[in-house]
Amino acid sequence: MKVKAIIFVLLLTLLCLLFSSLVLRVAILIGELSESVLITPAFYKLLGRRYRNYEKYEVKEPN
């Protein structure tokens, strides 16, 4: 998944170079930056949330 994410970011950055509109370039780059920051474990720790919340998943029994 990390390799796919890196490839996707590189493709978006290359796509950014193709656009002549500065607004589109900045929007794509801000989106990439915010996405990369929001999925890091450090951001989860800053907010006080668990990073691997799937580990404590409980299946509820039907009534």
Side-chain angles (χ1 to χ4, degrees):
M1 294 299 278
K2 290 180 183 180
V3 174
K4 287 182 182 179
I6 291 170
I7 291 171
F8 185 70
V9 167
L10 289 175
L11 288 174
L12 273 177
T13 306
L14 290 175
L15 181 70
C16 193
L17 294 174
L18 297 176
F19 288 118
S20 60
S21 171
L22 182 63
V23 175
L24 273 170
R25 286 181 177 186
V26 170
I28 291 172
L29 290 175
I30 288 175
E32 285 180 4
L33 179 65
S34 64
E35 222 177 297
S36 62
V37 168
L38 291 175
I39 63 171
T40 59
F43 190 74
Y44 280 85
K45 186 174 274 193
L46 179 69
L47 293 178
R49 299 185 55 101
R50 290 191 316 264
Y51 180 66
R52 295 181 177 169
N53 57 3
Y54 57 86
E55 291 176 343
K56 293 188 178 182
Y57 181 73
E58 295 179 12
V59 178
K60 295 182 180 179
E61 296 292 324
N63 292 336

Short mmCIF file of all heavy atoms in Angstrom, two decimals:
data_model
loop_
_atom_site.label_atom_id
_atom_site.label_comp_id
_atom_site.label_asym_id
_atom_site.label_seq_id
_atom_site.Cartn_x
_atom_site.Cartn_y
_atom_site.Cartn_z
N MET A 1 0.82 -1.20 0.00
CA MET A 1 0.00 0.00 0.00
C MET A 1 0.86 1.26 0.00
O MET A 1 0.50 2.25 -0.62
CB MET A 1 -0.92 0.02 1.22
CG MET A 1 -1.97 -1.08 1.23
SD MET A 1 -3.09 -0.98 -0.14
CE MET A 1 -4.22 0.23 0.42
N LYS A 2 1.99 1.22 0.71
CA LYS A 2 2.85 2.40 0.74
C LYS A 2 3.43 2.69 -0.64
O LYS A 2 3.54 3.84 -1.04
CB LYS A 2 3.98 2.21 1.74
CG LYS A 2 3.51 2.21 3.18
CD LYS A 2 4.67 2.02 4.12
CE LYS A 2 4.19 1.95 5.55
NZ LYS A 2 5.28 1.77 6.48
N VAL A 3 3.80 1.64 -1.36
CA VAL A 3 4.36 1.82 -2.70
C VAL A 3 3.31 2.41 -3.63
O VAL A 3 3.58 3.33 -4.40
CB VAL A 3 4.91 0.49 -3.24
CG1 VAL A 3 5.35 0.62 -4.67
CG2 VAL A 3 6.04 -0.01 -2.37
N LYS A 4 2.08 1.91 -3.53
CA LYS A 4 0.99 2.43 -4.35
C LYS A 4 0.72 3.90 -4.02
O LYS A 4 0.45 4.71 -4.91
CB LYS A 4 -0.28 1.62 -4.16
CG LYS A 4 -0.23 0.26 -4.80
CD LYS A 4 -1.54 -0.46 -4.60
CE LYS A 4 -1.51 -1.84 -5.21
NZ LYS A 4 -2.77 -2.56 -5.00
N ALA A 5 0.78 4.24 -2.75
CA ALA A 5 0.55 5.62 -2.34
C ALA A 5 1.64 6.54 -2.88
O ALA A 5 1.35 7.65 -3.36
CB ALA A 5 0.49 5.71 -0.82
N ILE A 6 2.87 6.10 -2.84
CA ILE A 6 3.97 6.90 -3.36
C ILE A 6 3.83 7.10 -4.87
O ILE A 6 4.02 8.20 -5.40
CB ILE A 6 5.33 6.27 -3.00
CG1 ILE A 6 5.56 6.38 -1.50
CG2 ILE A 6 6.47 6.93 -3.77
CD1 ILE A 6 6.74 5.60 -0.99
N ILE A 7 3.48 6.04 -5.57
CA ILE A 7 3.28 6.13 -7.02
C ILE A 7 2.14 7.10 -7.34
O ILE A 7 2.25 7.92 -8.26
CB ILE A 7 3.03 4.74 -7.62
CG1 ILE A 7 4.30 3.90 -7.54
CG2 ILE A 7 2.54 4.83 -9.06
CD1 ILE A 7 4.11 2.45 -7.91
N PHE A 8 1.06 7.02 -6.57
CA PHE A 8 -0.08 7.90 -6.80
C PHE A 8 0.30 9.36 -6.58
O PHE A 8 -0.08 10.24 -7.37
CB PHE A 8 -1.23 7.49 -5.88
CG PHE A 8 -2.49 8.26 -6.12
CD1 PHE A 8 -3.22 8.06 -7.27
CD2 PHE A 8 -2.93 9.20 -5.21
CE1 PHE A 8 -4.38 8.78 -7.51
CE2 PHE A 8 -4.08 9.93 -5.43
CZ PHE A 8 -4.80 9.72 -6.60
N VAL A 9 1.07 9.64 -5.54
CA VAL A 9 1.50 11.02 -5.27
C VAL A 9 2.41 11.51 -6.38
O VAL A 9 2.30 12.68 -6.82
CB VAL A 9 2.19 11.11 -3.89
CG1 VAL A 9 2.92 12.42 -3.73
CG2 VAL A 9 1.18 10.94 -2.79
N LEU A 10 3.30 10.66 -6.86
CA LEU A 10 4.18 11.07 -7.96
C LEU A 10 3.37 11.36 -9.22
O LEU A 10 3.66 12.33 -9.93
CB LEU A 10 5.22 9.99 -8.23
CG LEU A 10 6.31 9.85 -7.18
CD1 LEU A 10 7.22 8.66 -7.50
CD2 LEU A 10 7.12 11.12 -7.07
N LEU A 11 2.36 10.54 -9.50
CA LEU A 11 1.51 10.79 -10.66
C LEU A 11 0.74 12.10 -10.53
O LEU A 11 0.60 12.85 -11.49
CB LEU A 11 0.55 9.62 -10.88
CG LEU A 11 1.17 8.34 -11.41
CD1 LEU A 11 0.13 7.22 -11.45
CD2 LEU A 11 1.76 8.56 -12.79
N LEU A 12 0.23 12.37 -9.34
CA LEU A 12 -0.48 13.63 -9.11
C LEU A 12 0.46 14.83 -9.28
O LEU A 12 0.07 15.86 -9.83
CB LEU A 12 -1.10 13.67 -7.72
CG LEU A 12 -2.48 13.06 -7.58
CD1 LEU A 12 -2.92 13.10 -6.13
CD2 LEU A 12 -3.48 13.77 -8.44
N THR A 13 1.68 14.68 -8.81
CA THR A 13 2.64 15.77 -8.95
C THR A 13 2.99 16.00 -10.41
O THR A 13 3.09 17.15 -10.86
CB THR A 13 3.91 15.46 -8.13
OG1 THR A 13 3.52 15.17 -6.78
CG2 THR A 13 4.86 16.62 -8.14
N LEU A 14 3.17 14.92 -11.17
CA LEU A 14 3.42 15.07 -12.61
C LEU A 14 2.23 15.68 -13.32
O LEU A 14 2.39 16.51 -14.21
CB LEU A 14 3.78 13.72 -13.22
CG LEU A 14 5.14 13.14 -12.82
CD1 LEU A 14 5.31 11.75 -13.40
CD2 LEU A 14 6.25 14.06 -13.28
N LEU A 15 1.04 15.28 -12.92
CA LEU A 15 -0.18 15.85 -13.49
C LEU A 15 -0.26 17.34 -13.19
O LEU A 15 -0.70 18.14 -14.02
CB LEU A 15 -1.41 15.13 -12.93
CG LEU A 15 -2.76 15.57 -13.44
CD1 LEU A 15 -2.93 15.16 -14.89
CD2 LEU A 15 -3.85 14.97 -12.59
N CYS A 16 0.21 17.70 -12.02
CA CYS A 16 0.22 19.10 -11.60
C CYS A 16 1.09 19.94 -12.54
O CYS A 16 0.79 21.10 -12.80
CB CYS A 16 0.74 19.17 -10.18
SG CYS A 16 0.50 20.72 -9.38
N LEU A 17 2.16 19.34 -13.03
CA LEU A 17 3.06 20.08 -13.94
C LEU A 17 2.42 20.32 -15.31
O LEU A 17 2.81 21.24 -16.01
CB LEU A 17 4.36 19.31 -14.11
CG LEU A 17 5.23 19.19 -12.85
CD1 LEU A 17 6.42 18.29 -13.12
CD2 LEU A 17 5.67 20.55 -12.38
N LEU A 18 1.44 19.48 -15.67
CA LEU A 18 0.80 19.62 -16.97
C LEU A 18 -0.22 20.75 -17.03
O LEU A 18 -0.50 21.28 -18.10
CB LEU A 18 0.12 18.31 -17.36
CG LEU A 18 1.05 17.10 -17.54
CD1 LEU A 18 0.23 15.86 -17.82
CD2 LEU A 18 2.04 17.36 -18.66
N PHE A 19 -0.79 21.11 -15.89
CA PHE A 19 -1.79 22.16 -15.86
C PHE A 19 -1.14 23.53 -15.96
O PHE A 19 -0.12 23.80 -15.35
CB PHE A 19 -2.64 22.11 -14.58
CG PHE A 19 -3.58 20.96 -14.53
CD1 PHE A 19 -3.47 20.00 -13.55
CD2 PHE A 19 -4.59 20.84 -15.46
CE1 PHE A 19 -4.34 18.94 -13.49
CE2 PHE A 19 -5.48 19.78 -15.42
CZ PHE A 19 -5.35 18.83 -14.43
N SER A 20 -1.76 24.39 -16.74
CA SER A 20 -1.24 25.75 -16.85
C SER A 20 -1.84 26.67 -15.78
O SER A 20 -1.26 27.70 -15.46
CB SER A 20 -1.53 26.32 -18.23
OG SER A 20 -2.92 26.35 -18.46
N SER A 21 -2.96 26.27 -15.22
CA SER A 21 -3.64 27.09 -14.23
C SER A 21 -2.95 26.96 -12.87
O SER A 21 -2.78 25.86 -12.33
CB SER A 21 -5.10 26.66 -14.10
OG SER A 21 -5.70 27.30 -13.01
N LEU A 22 -2.55 28.09 -12.32
CA LEU A 22 -1.90 28.09 -11.02
C LEU A 22 -2.84 27.63 -9.92
O LEU A 22 -2.43 26.96 -8.97
CB LEU A 22 -1.36 29.50 -10.71
CG LEU A 22 -0.60 29.65 -9.41
CD1 LEU A 22 0.65 28.79 -9.43
CD2 LEU A 22 -0.25 31.09 -9.17
N VAL A 23 -4.12 27.96 -10.05
CA VAL A 23 -5.10 27.58 -9.04
C VAL A 23 -5.22 26.05 -8.95
O VAL A 23 -5.25 25.49 -7.86
CB VAL A 23 -6.48 28.21 -9.36
CG1 VAL A 23 -7.54 27.73 -8.40
CG2 VAL A 23 -6.39 29.72 -9.32
N LEU A 24 -5.26 25.38 -10.11
CA LEU A 24 -5.33 23.92 -10.10
C LEU A 24 -4.07 23.31 -9.52
O LEU A 24 -4.14 22.33 -8.76
CB LEU A 24 -5.54 23.39 -11.52
CG LEU A 24 -6.98 23.30 -11.97
CD1 LEU A 24 -7.04 23.01 -13.46
CD2 LEU A 24 -7.70 22.23 -11.20
N ARG A 25 -2.94 23.85 -9.85
CA ARG A 25 -1.68 23.33 -9.31
C ARG A 25 -1.65 23.42 -7.79
O ARG A 25 -1.30 22.47 -7.11
CB ARG A 25 -0.49 24.11 -9.88
CG ARG A 25 -0.18 23.81 -11.29
CD ARG A 25 1.01 24.62 -11.72
NE ARG A 25 1.39 24.29 -13.08
CZ ARG A 25 2.45 24.77 -13.68
NH1 ARG A 25 3.24 25.61 -13.04
NH2 ARG A 25 2.74 24.41 -14.90
N VAL A 26 -2.00 24.58 -7.28
CA VAL A 26 -1.97 24.79 -5.84
C VAL A 26 -3.00 23.90 -5.15
O VAL A 26 -2.72 23.33 -4.09
CB VAL A 26 -2.20 26.28 -5.50
CG1 VAL A 26 -2.42 26.49 -4.02
CG2 VAL A 26 -1.04 27.11 -5.99
N ALA A 27 -4.18 23.75 -5.73
CA ALA A 27 -5.22 22.90 -5.13
C ALA A 27 -4.76 21.45 -5.04
O ALA A 27 -4.96 20.78 -4.02
CB ALA A 27 -6.51 23.00 -5.93
N ILE A 28 -4.12 20.95 -6.09
CA ILE A 28 -3.63 19.57 -6.08
C ILE A 28 -2.53 19.40 -5.04
O ILE A 28 -2.51 18.44 -4.27
CB ILE A 28 -3.15 19.16 -7.48
CG1 ILE A 28 -4.33 19.04 -8.42
CG2 ILE A 28 -2.39 17.84 -7.43
CD1 ILE A 28 -3.95 18.82 -9.87
N LEU A 29 -1.60 20.34 -4.99
CA LEU A 29 -0.50 20.23 -4.03
C LEU A 29 -0.96 20.37 -2.59
O LEU A 29 -0.48 19.65 -1.71
CB LEU A 29 0.57 21.27 -4.35
CG LEU A 29 1.34 21.01 -5.64
CD1 LEU A 29 2.29 22.17 -5.92
CD2 LEU A 29 2.09 19.71 -5.57
N ILE A 30 -1.93 21.24 -2.33
CA ILE A 30 -2.47 21.37 -0.97
C ILE A 30 -3.21 20.10 -0.59
O ILE A 30 -3.12 19.63 0.55
CB ILE A 30 -3.37 22.61 -0.85
CG1 ILE A 30 -2.51 23.87 -0.87
CG2 ILE A 30 -4.21 22.56 0.42
CD1 ILE A 30 -3.30 25.15 -0.88
N GLY A 31 -3.94 19.51 -1.52
CA GLY A 31 -4.62 18.25 -1.25
C GLY A 31 -3.66 17.13 -0.93
O GLY A 31 -3.87 16.35 0.00
N GLU A 32 -2.56 17.04 -1.68
CA GLU A 32 -1.55 16.02 -1.41
C GLU A 32 -0.92 16.23 -0.03
O GLU A 32 -0.74 15.28 0.73
CB GLU A 32 -0.44 16.09 -2.46
CG GLU A 32 -0.80 15.53 -3.79
CD GLU A 32 0.35 15.62 -4.77
OE1 GLU A 32 1.47 16.05 -4.38
OE2 GLU A 32 0.16 15.26 -5.93
N LEU A 33 -0.59 17.46 0.28
CA LEU A 33 0.05 17.76 1.55
C LEU A 33 -0.87 17.45 2.73
O LEU A 33 -0.47 16.80 3.69
CB LEU A 33 0.48 19.22 1.60
CG LEU A 33 1.16 19.67 2.89
CD1 LEU A 33 2.48 18.95 3.06
CD2 LEU A 33 1.36 21.16 2.88
N SER A 34 -2.11 17.90 2.65
CA SER A 34 -3.03 17.66 3.75
C SER A 34 -3.33 16.17 3.92
O SER A 34 -3.42 15.67 5.04
CB SER A 34 -4.32 18.45 3.56
OG SER A 34 -5.01 18.00 2.42
N GLU A 35 -3.45 15.44 2.83
CA GLU A 35 -3.70 14.01 2.91
C GLU A 35 -2.53 13.29 3.57
O GLU A 35 -2.72 12.41 4.41
CB GLU A 35 -3.89 13.46 1.49
CG GLU A 35 -5.00 12.47 1.37
CD GLU A 35 -5.16 12.04 -0.06
OE1 GLU A 35 -5.47 12.88 -0.91
OE2 GLU A 35 -4.97 10.84 -0.29
N SER A 36 -1.32 13.65 3.18
CA SER A 36 -0.16 12.97 3.74
C SER A 36 0.02 13.27 5.22
O SER A 36 0.47 12.42 5.98
CB SER A 36 1.09 13.34 2.96
OG SER A 36 1.34 14.72 3.06
N VAL A 37 -0.33 14.46 5.66
CA VAL A 37 -0.21 14.80 7.08
C VAL A 37 -1.30 14.12 7.89
O VAL A 37 -1.05 13.61 8.99
CB VAL A 37 -0.27 16.34 7.27
CG1 VAL A 37 -0.44 16.70 8.73
CG2 VAL A 37 0.97 16.97 6.70
N LEU A 38 -2.51 14.07 7.37
CA LEU A 38 -3.64 13.55 8.14
C LEU A 38 -3.60 12.04 8.36
O LEU A 38 -4.27 11.54 9.26
CB LEU A 38 -4.96 13.94 7.47
CG LEU A 38 -5.30 15.42 7.52
CD1 LEU A 38 -6.57 15.69 6.72
CD2 LEU A 38 -5.46 15.90 8.94
N ILE A 39 -2.85 11.30 7.57
CA ILE A 39 -2.82 9.85 7.74
C ILE A 39 -1.61 9.35 8.52
O ILE A 39 -1.44 8.16 8.70
CB ILE A 39 -2.89 9.12 6.39
CG1 ILE A 39 -1.68 9.44 5.53
CG2 ILE A 39 -4.18 9.43 5.67
CD1 ILE A 39 -1.59 8.60 4.29
N THR A 40 -0.78 10.25 9.02
CA THR A 40 0.40 9.82 9.77
C THR A 40 0.03 9.46 11.20
O THR A 40 -0.91 10.01 11.78
CB THR A 40 1.46 10.94 9.81
OG1 THR A 40 0.87 12.08 10.42
CG2 THR A 40 1.97 11.28 8.44
N PRO A 41 0.76 8.51 11.79
CA PRO A 41 0.49 8.15 13.19
C PRO A 41 0.71 9.32 14.15
O PRO A 41 0.05 9.40 15.18
CB PRO A 41 1.51 7.05 13.47
CG PRO A 41 1.83 6.46 12.14
CD PRO A 41 1.71 7.60 11.17
N ALA A 42 1.59 10.24 13.81
CA ALA A 42 1.83 11.39 14.68
C ALA A 42 0.58 12.27 14.81
O ALA A 42 0.30 12.80 15.88
CB ALA A 42 3.00 12.23 14.14
N PHE A 43 -0.17 12.41 13.74
CA PHE A 43 -1.39 13.21 13.78
C PHE A 43 -2.44 12.54 14.67
O PHE A 43 -3.14 13.21 15.42
CB PHE A 43 -1.94 13.42 12.37
CG PHE A 43 -3.04 14.42 12.30
CD1 PHE A 43 -2.78 15.77 12.40
CD2 PHE A 43 -4.35 14.01 12.14
CE1 PHE A 43 -3.80 16.71 12.34
CE2 PHE A 43 -5.38 14.93 12.09
CZ PHE A 43 -5.10 16.28 12.19
N TYR A 44 -2.53 11.22 14.60
CA TYR A 44 -3.46 10.50 15.48
C TYR A 44 -3.06 10.68 16.94
O TYR A 44 -3.90 10.84 17.81
CB TYR A 44 -3.48 9.01 15.12
CG TYR A 44 -4.34 8.69 13.93
CD1 TYR A 44 -3.85 8.78 12.64
CD2 TYR A 44 -5.65 8.28 14.10
CE1 TYR A 44 -4.64 8.50 11.55
CE2 TYR A 44 -6.45 7.98 13.02
CZ TYR A 44 -5.93 8.09 11.75
OH TYR A 44 -6.72 7.80 10.67
N LYS A 45 -1.76 10.63 17.22
CA LYS A 45 -1.28 10.80 18.59
C LYS A 45 -1.57 12.22 19.07
O LYS A 45 -1.95 12.43 20.22
CB LYS A 45 0.21 10.51 18.66
CG LYS A 45 0.76 10.52 20.07
CD LYS A 45 2.19 10.08 20.10
CE LYS A 45 2.19 8.58 20.17
NZ LYS A 45 3.49 8.01 20.50
N LEU A 46 -1.42 13.20 18.19
CA LEU A 46 -1.70 14.59 18.53
C LEU A 46 -3.16 14.77 18.93
O LEU A 46 -3.48 15.51 19.86
CB LEU A 46 -1.35 15.51 17.36
CG LEU A 46 -1.61 16.99 17.55
CD1 LEU A 46 -0.63 17.56 18.56
CD2 LEU A 46 -1.47 17.71 16.22
N LEU A 47 -4.06 14.08 18.25
CA LEU A 47 -5.49 14.18 18.55
C LEU A 47 -5.93 13.24 19.66
O LEU A 47 -7.08 13.28 20.09
CB LEU A 47 -6.31 13.88 17.29
CG LEU A 47 -6.18 14.92 16.18
CD1 LEU A 47 -7.02 14.48 14.98
CD2 LEU A 47 -6.62 16.29 16.64
N GLY A 48 -5.03 12.36 20.11
CA GLY A 48 -5.37 11.44 21.18
C GLY A 48 -6.23 10.27 20.73
O GLY A 48 -6.98 9.72 21.52
N ARG A 49 -6.12 9.89 19.47
CA ARG A 49 -6.91 8.78 18.95
C ARG A 49 -5.99 7.60 18.67
O ARG A 49 -4.80 7.76 18.48
CB ARG A 49 -7.64 9.19 17.68
CG ARG A 49 -8.61 10.33 17.91
CD ARG A 49 -9.39 10.62 16.68
NE ARG A 49 -10.07 9.46 16.17
CZ ARG A 49 -11.36 9.20 16.34
NH1 ARG A 49 -12.09 10.03 17.04
NH2 ARG A 49 -11.91 8.14 15.81
N ARG A 50 -6.57 6.40 18.65
CA ARG A 50 -5.79 5.21 18.32
C ARG A 50 -5.54 5.18 16.82
O ARG A 50 -6.42 5.45 16.02
CB ARG A 50 -6.54 3.95 18.73
CG ARG A 50 -6.63 3.76 20.22
CD ARG A 50 -7.14 2.38 20.58
NE ARG A 50 -8.26 1.95 19.76
CZ ARG A 50 -9.53 2.06 20.12
NH1 ARG A 50 -9.85 2.59 21.26
NH2 ARG A 50 -10.49 1.63 19.32
N TYR A 51 -4.32 4.80 16.43
CA TYR A 51 -3.97 4.70 15.02
C TYR A 51 -4.50 3.41 14.43
O TYR A 51 -5.05 3.39 13.36
CB TYR A 51 -2.45 4.80 14.85
CG TYR A 51 -2.00 4.71 13.42
CD1 TYR A 51 -2.33 5.71 12.51
CD2 TYR A 51 -1.25 3.64 12.97
CE1 TYR A 51 -1.93 5.64 11.19
CE2 TYR A 51 -0.84 3.57 11.65
CZ TYR A 51 -1.18 4.56 10.78
OH TYR A 51 -0.78 4.50 9.47
N ARG A 52 -4.34 2.33 15.15
CA ARG A 52 -4.81 1.02 14.68
C ARG A 52 -6.10 0.66 15.41
O ARG A 52 -6.13 -0.25 16.23
CB ARG A 52 -3.74 -0.03 14.92
CG ARG A 52 -2.51 0.24 14.12
CD ARG A 52 -1.49 -0.81 14.35
NE ARG A 52 -0.34 -0.56 13.50
CZ ARG A 52 0.79 -1.16 13.61
NH1 ARG A 52 0.97 -2.06 14.54
NH2 ARG A 52 1.78 -0.88 12.79
N ASN A 53 -7.16 1.37 15.09
CA ASN A 53 -8.42 1.16 15.80
C ASN A 53 -9.10 -0.15 15.43
O ASN A 53 -10.02 -0.58 16.09
CB ASN A 53 -9.36 2.33 15.58
CG ASN A 53 -9.63 2.58 14.13
OD1 ASN A 53 -9.16 1.84 13.27
ND2 ASN A 53 -10.39 3.61 13.82
N TYR A 54 -8.64 -0.82 14.40
CA TYR A 54 -9.24 -2.08 14.02
C TYR A 54 -8.81 -3.21 14.95
O TYR A 54 -9.44 -4.26 14.98
CB TYR A 54 -8.84 -2.44 12.58
CG TYR A 54 -7.35 -2.52 12.36
CD1 TYR A 54 -6.67 -3.69 12.61
CD2 TYR A 54 -6.64 -1.43 11.91
CE1 TYR A 54 -5.30 -3.77 12.43
CE2 TYR A 54 -5.28 -1.49 11.72
CZ TYR A 54 -4.62 -2.66 11.98
OH TYR A 54 -3.27 -2.73 11.79
N GLU A 55 -7.76 -3.02 15.76
CA GLU A 55 -7.28 -4.08 16.64
C GLU A 55 -8.24 -4.33 17.80
O GLU A 55 -8.28 -5.43 18.33
CB GLU A 55 -5.90 -3.71 17.18
CG GLU A 55 -4.83 -3.74 16.11
CD GLU A 55 -3.49 -3.30 16.61
OE1 GLU A 55 -3.43 -2.68 17.70
OE2 GLU A 55 -2.50 -3.58 15.92
N LYS A 56 -8.99 -3.34 18.21
CA LYS A 56 -9.92 -3.51 19.33
C LYS A 56 -11.37 -3.58 18.85
O LYS A 56 -12.28 -3.22 19.56
CB LYS A 56 -9.75 -2.36 20.33
CG LYS A 56 -8.40 -2.40 21.01
CD LYS A 56 -8.31 -1.40 22.10
CE LYS A 56 -6.95 -1.52 22.77
NZ LYS A 56 -6.82 -0.62 23.88
N TYR A 57 -11.56 -4.05 17.66
CA TYR A 57 -12.90 -4.16 17.08
C TYR A 57 -13.63 -5.31 17.74
O TYR A 57 -13.11 -6.41 17.87
CB TYR A 57 -12.79 -4.38 15.58
CG TYR A 57 -14.12 -4.49 14.89
CD1 TYR A 57 -14.91 -3.37 14.69
CD2 TYR A 57 -14.57 -5.71 14.42
CE1 TYR A 57 -16.13 -3.45 14.06
CE2 TYR A 57 -15.78 -5.80 13.77
CZ TYR A 57 -16.56 -4.68 13.59
OH TYR A 57 -17.76 -4.78 12.95
N GLU A 58 -14.85 -5.07 18.16
CA GLU A 58 -15.66 -6.10 18.80
C GLU A 58 -16.90 -6.37 17.97
O GLU A 58 -17.57 -5.45 17.51
CB GLU A 58 -16.09 -5.65 20.20
CG GLU A 58 -14.94 -5.48 21.16
CD GLU A 58 -15.41 -5.01 22.51
OE1 GLU A 58 -16.64 -5.04 22.78
OE2 GLU A 58 -14.56 -4.61 23.31
N VAL A 59 -17.21 -7.63 17.78
CA VAL A 59 -18.40 -8.01 17.05
C VAL A 59 -19.55 -8.10 18.04
O VAL A 59 -19.47 -8.82 19.03
CB VAL A 59 -18.20 -9.36 16.32
CG1 VAL A 59 -19.47 -9.77 15.62
CG2 VAL A 59 -17.04 -9.28 15.38
N LYS A 60 -20.62 -7.37 17.78
CA LYS A 60 -21.78 -7.40 18.66
C LYS A 60 -22.69 -8.52 18.25
O LYS A 60 -22.99 -8.72 17.07
CB LYS A 60 -22.52 -6.06 18.62
CG LYS A 60 -21.71 -4.92 19.16
CD LYS A 60 -22.50 -3.64 19.15
CE LYS A 60 -21.64 -2.53 19.70
NZ LYS A 60 -22.36 -1.26 19.68
N GLU A 61 -23.17 -9.25 19.23
CA GLU A 61 -24.10 -10.34 18.98
C GLU A 61 -25.49 -9.79 18.71
O GLU A 61 -25.92 -8.83 19.34
CB GLU A 61 -24.15 -11.26 20.21
CG GLU A 61 -22.84 -11.95 20.52
CD GLU A 61 -22.45 -12.97 19.46
OE1 GLU A 61 -23.36 -13.63 18.91
OE2 GLU A 61 -21.26 -13.07 19.17
N PRO A 62 -26.20 -10.37 17.76
CA PRO A 62 -27.58 -9.91 17.51
C PRO A 62 -28.49 -10.25 18.68
O PRO A 62 -28.30 -11.26 19.37
CB PRO A 62 -28.00 -10.66 16.24
CG PRO A 62 -27.01 -11.76 16.08
CD PRO A 62 -25.79 -11.43 16.87
N ASN A 63 -29.47 -9.40 18.94
CA ASN A 63 -30.39 -9.63 20.07
C ASN A 63 -31.34 -10.73 19.82
O ASN A 63 -31.95 -11.09 19.03
CB ASN A 63 -31.14 -8.35 20.39
CG ASN A 63 -30.20 -7.30 20.94
OD1 ASN A 63 -29.16 -7.64 21.48
ND2 ASN A 63 -30.54 -6.06 20.78
#
